[in-house]
Amino acid sequence: MNNDLPSLTQSLHDFATARNWEQFHSPKNLASALSVEAAELLEHFQWLTEEQSRNLSAPKTAEVAAEAADVLLYLLQLCDKLNIDLLAAARSKLIVNGEKYPVDRAHGSSKKYTDL
Amino acid sequence: MNNDLPSLTQSLHDFATARNWEQFHSPKNLASALSVEAAELLEHFQWLTEEQSRNLSAPKTAEVAAEAADVLLYLLQLCDKLNIDLLAAARSKLIVNGEKYPVDRAHGSSKKYTDL
Amino acid sequence: MNNDLPSLTQSLHDFATARNWEQFHSPKNLASALSVEAAELLEHFQWLTEEQSRNLSAPKTAEVAAEAADVLLYLLQLCDKLNIDLLAAARSKLIVNGEKYPVDRAHGSSKKYTDL
Amino acid sequence: MNNDLPSLTQSLHDFATARNWEQFHSPKNLASALSVEAAELLEHFQWLTEEQSRNLSAPKTAEVAAEAADVLLYLLQLCDKLNIDLLAAARSKLIVNGEKYPVDRAHGSSKKYTDL
């Protein structure tokens, strides 16, 4: 099985088409679903200390992995609908972030670039 | 440039290390940041009709792409910290979803599998 | 029973104290929980059309009401911890919004004030 | 000025009507906006330690108060549209929570009631 993003996107497309779900998958709805899944992932961490979050048990990690998967699946479907090249966008964003947060000024700081 | 997820994850790792940001990047904090970015993406759609969301202008699509990139970047960093193989998790989830939502029962329905 | 917000806040305070939950209720954690509850509320609407969302069944409305309650309960606890007067803040925000969105320019537009 | 929730809800209603915004304010859209505002509130805390979140500066607290206000304003508008009595729902939820989390079993635990 080829595990890359285009192949995964195609699988998702086929999955939705087979179930006649395209009617529900407007970008607006997919963006909502993405946000809901991200919150379900966050729920696993809400009462943990940061230290505890760095030391999850194997079963808890598996639960988090399943939520992370949901986030990716909706993100890919959203990008598919909008013809967004997600990896290209991510690479571009990394370059932009490098300019917003120069190493010397951002070192050891969690401030937003507008406050650096 | 190799655009695949492991290479992107490595770039993110180097980016954070160069800025001494690892101290802020607990899984708990990354999960919060992921959720915040997903909401920023959703903000672009909140007052649009579904139809409008299917017909974004090019500039608006570029803004959405930048938010989608942010979501992916935090998702990859979170999975890196927790040693989660995101693509494997996504493939597994797709199989699980296929069992939860059999084609014949889920066809044309937006109900949750627990209500099918 | 007095149903106003200070009395509700006091009940929440007593509830958490009786269970020794104050240790978990940092503003950071309460803000996460608030966001998670808001997403649980959103989940009820994610696949509905706007029209369907205006015509919920009574049982669905009851489910949404329970989620709305959760949002309020965490919001009150967060404001309690930070000594924020929520109603005063809401009144102030309404005045600020009136200035950002003057009736003549904002009429019938869903644009953000920065784009009006 | 009467600061209670019904009066605030009425002000919000008048505000939206004067701007002809009712067309955008479907429950679906208001639920999205609520979730987006909750995430904006969370953003203020995402890189803070829990300890730092307990000791916000006055200006930062004012920013958080403004976001908390936004959350309440959308929550009230959503409940108004769905004829939900928010305070009654909150009181009911507190009773339900008391049953889900009995003092003796929930004491000092952050576990979900299903895991207690």
Side-chain angles (χ1 to χ4, degrees):
Chain A
M1 192 192 303
N2 184 352
N3 256 340
D4 65 3
L5 298 188
S7 128
L8 196 52
T9 301
Q10 184 61 48
S11 297
L12 288 163
H13 187 87
D14 296 345
F15 191 98
T17 303
R19 284 157 186 78
N20 195 21
W21 281 359
E22 298 292 335
Q23 59 185 314
F24 307 118
H25 285 189
S26 63
K28 178 185 178 83
N29 287 2
L30 291 168
S32 283
L34 173 69
S35 198
V36 168
E37 294 299 337
E40 290 184 4
L41 194 160
L42 177 58
E43 189 180 6
H44 289 282
F45 295 101
Q46 64 187 351
W47 304 124
L48 301 187
T49 65
E50 290 187 62
E51 189 57 26
Q52 289 169 331
S53 83
R54 289 189 174 97
N55 295 285
L56 297 186
S57 67
K60 181 57 80 176
T61 301
E63 287 176 38
V64 170
E67 302 290 1
D70 280 333
V71 171
L72 182 65
L73 296 182
Y74 281 121
L75 185 62
L76 290 176
Q77 289 178 91
L78 177 65
C79 289
D80 186 36
K81 288 282 178 293
L82 296 172
N83 289 315
I84 288 171
D85 181 335
L86 179 60
L87 283 172
R91 283 282 172 197
S92 296
K93 198 60 197 289
L94 206 48
I95 291 169
V96 169
N97 286 349
E99 290 162 359
K100 278 184 181 169
Y101 297 96
V103 169
D104 57 337
R105 281 164 57 208
H107 196 270
S109 165
S110 65
K111 285 187 184 166
K112 202 165 176 174
Y113 69 97
T114 43
D115 296 328
L116 276 179
Chain B
M1 190 191 306
N2 184 353
N3 256 340
D4 65 2
L5 297 188
S7 129
L8 196 51
T9 301
Q10 185 61 47
S11 297
L12 286 163
H13 187 87
D14 296 346
F15 191 97
T17 302
R19 283 157 187 80
N20 196 21
W21 281 358
E22 298 293 335
Q23 59 184 312
F24 307 118
H25 285 188
S26 62
K28 179 185 177 81
N29 287 2
L30 291 168
S32 283
L34 174 68
S35 198
V36 167
E37 294 300 336
E40 290 185 4
L41 194 159
L42 177 57
E43 189 181 7
H44 289 282
F45 295 101
Q46 64 187 350
W47 305 124
L48 301 187
T49 64
E50 289 186 65
E51 188 58 24
Q52 288 169 332
S53 83
R54 289 190 173 97
N55 294 285
L56 298 186
S57 67
K60 181 57 81 177
T61 301
E63 288 176 38
V64 170
E67 302 292 0
D70 280 332
V71 171
L72 182 65
L73 297 182
Y74 281 122
L75 185 62
L76 290 175
Q77 289 178 91
L78 178 65
C79 289
D80 186 35
K81 288 281 178 292
L82 296 173
N83 289 316
I84 289 171
D85 182 334
L86 180 59
L87 283 172
R91 283 283 171 196
S92 296
K93 198 62 197 285
L94 206 48
I95 292 167
V96 169
N97 286 350
E99 290 161 0
K100 280 182 181 171
Y101 297 96
V103 169
D104 57 337
R105 280 165 57 209
H107 196 269
S109 165
S110 65
K111 284 188 185 165
K112 202 164 177 174
Y113 68 96
T114 43
D115 297 328
L116 275 179
Chain C
M1 192 190 304
N2 183 353
N3 255 340
D4 65 2
L5 297 189
S7 129
L8 196 51
T9 301
Q10 184 62 47
S11 298
L12 287 162
H13 187 87
D14 296 345
F15 192 97
T17 301
R19 284 157 186 79
N20 195 21
W21 282 358
E22 297 292 333
Q23 59 185 314
F24 307 118
H25 286 188
S26 62
K28 178 185 177 83
N29 288 2
L30 291 169
S32 283
L34 173 69
S35 198
V36 167
E37 294 299 336
E40 289 184 6
L41 194 160
L42 177 58
E43 188 180 7
H44 289 282
F45 295 101
Q46 64 187 350
W47 305 123
L48 301 187
T49 63
E50 289 186 63
E51 188 58 23
Q52 288 169 333
S53 83
R54 289 189 175 96
N55 294 286
L56 298 186
S57 66
K60 180 58 81 176
T61 301
E63 287 175 38
V64 170
E67 302 291 0
D70 280 332
V71 171
L72 182 65
L73 297 182
Y74 281 122
L75 185 62
L76 290 175
Q77 290 179 90
L78 177 65
C79 290
D80 185 35
K81 288 280 178 295
L82 295 173
N83 290 315
I84 289 171
D85 182 335
L86 180 59
L87 282 172
R91 282 283 172 198
S92 297
K93 198 61 196 289
L94 205 50
I95 291 167
V96 168
N97 286 349
E99 290 162 358
K100 279 184 180 168
Y101 297 96
V103 169
D104 57 336
R105 280 165 56 209
H107 196 270
S109 165
S110 66
K111 283 187 185 166
K112 202 165 177 174
Y113 69 96
T114 43
D115 297 328
L116 276 179
Chain D
M1 190 192 305
N2 184 353
N3 255 339
D4 65 3
L5 297 188
S7 130
L8 197 51
T9 301
Q10 184 62 47
S11 297
L12 287 162
H13 186 87
D14 296 345
F15 191 98
T17 302
R19 284 156 186 80
N20 195 21
W21 282 358
E22 298 292 336
Q23 60 185 312
F24 307 119
H25 285 188
S26 62
K28 179 184 177 83
N29 288 2
L30 290 169
S32 283
L34 174 69
S35 198
V36 167
E37 294 300 336
E40 290 185 5
L41 195 159
L42 177 57
E43 190 181 6
H44 289 282
F45 295 101
Q46 65 187 350
W47 305 125
L48 301 187
T49 64
E50 290 187 64
E51 188 57 26
Q52 288 169 332
S53 83
R54 288 189 174 96
N55 295 284
L56 297 187
S57 66
K60 180 58 80 179
T61 301
E63 288 175 37
V64 170
E67 303 291 2
D70 280 332
V71 171
L72 182 65
L73 297 182
Y74 282 122
L75 185 62
L76 291 175
Q77 289 178 92
L78 177 65
C79 290
D80 186 35
K81 288 282 178 293
L82 296 172
N83 289 316
I84 290 170
D85 181 334
L86 179 59
L87 282 172
R91 283 283 172 198
S92 296
K93 198 62 197 284
L94 205 49
I95 292 168
V96 169
N97 286 349
E99 290 162 359
K100 279 183 181 170
Y101 297 96
V103 169
D104 57 336
R105 280 164 57 208
H107 197 269
S109 165
S110 65
K111 283 187 185 165
K112 202 165 177 173
Y113 68 95
T114 44
D115 297 328
L116 275 180

